[in-house]
Every structure is written in C-alpha cells, then in structure tokens.
C-alpha cells in the first residue's frame, strides 16, 4: 500500500496569484478553462469543466537540493478555501 499525501499550498501564495502576482519564475500566470481534470492545489478539489483556472510554476520546497523541483500547478481563478490538513490517497 502506498499513500500519496497532498498538501495544499499556503494561502499567501494563492492570494498573491489571485492579486496578479507572478509565479515562481517571475512569469505572469496563465488563465485556462478547466477540462474537469485540473486539481486546485489550494482547496484540493477538481476544478469543474468550463471554470477558469490559473496556471503557474510553483516550488513547494525551501531547499535547493537536487530533488527540489519546480512544477506547474493549477488553482481556482476565484479565491477558494484552503483544504484543512493533508489529503491522503491510498494506492496498492
Ligand atoms: Zn480552489
């Protein structure tokens, strides 16, 4: 059994993005239309098909180690409530 733990991004990061701030690389966020499979990394819900989403690069690690990657994430285009705690998905 493998558990995958999803930790929501800090609200301060999401708030900065909702206010037009840049992503991890200093680029403006991209607005897209969800195909129904875009998970919001703040509320941890799938963003419904047809809804606007923000796409940007995010680095969840404070270290600069070899595995401290930066990757693309989606968040709801309108402010949403941060998921409380961590979401655990168990797989065999
Ligand atoms: Zn959301």
């Amino acid at each position: 059994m493998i558990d995958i733990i999803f930790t929501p991004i800090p609200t301060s990061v999401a708030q900065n993005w909702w206010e037009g701030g840049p992503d991890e690389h200093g680029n403006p966020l991209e607005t897209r239309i969800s195909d129904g499979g875009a998970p919001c990394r703040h509320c941890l819900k799938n963003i419904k098909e047809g809804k606007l989403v923000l796409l940007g690069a995010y680095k969840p690690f404070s270290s600069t180690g070899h595995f401290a990657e930066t990757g693309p994430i989606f968040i709801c285009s309108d402010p949403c409530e941060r998921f409380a705690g961590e979401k655990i998905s168990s797989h065999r």
Side-chain angles (χ1 to χ4, degrees):
M1 183 73 78
I2 297 173
D3 287 338
I4 299 174
I5 301 171
F6 298 92
T7 304
I9 64 171
T11 297
S12 59
V13 172
Q15 189 65 42
N16 181 45
W17 285 16
W18 289 321
E19 293 174 358
D23 73 4
E24 201 73 40
H25 295 302
N27 295 319
L29 299 184
E30 188 174 316
T31 301
R32 291 188 174 187
I33 298 173
S34 175
D35 64 2
C40 173
R41 296 302 182 190
H42 186 249
C43 66
L44 301 187
K45 295 177 182 171
N46 266 346
I47 303 168
K48 293 184 178 169
E49 184 176 355
K51 293 278 190 182
L52 294 178
V53 302
L54 299 178
L55 169 64
Y58 178 69
K59 180 183 168 194
F61 310 103
S62 58
S63 71
T64 56
H66 295 83
F67 294 98
E69 296 181 350
T70 300
I73 65 168
F74 297 100
I75 66 169
C76 298
S77 65
D78 292 321
C80 58
E81 187 171 333
R82 186 175 190 261
F83 186 85
E86 297 173 324
K87 193 173 194 176
I88 300 172
S89 179
S90 297
H91 301 269
R92 291 183 182 260

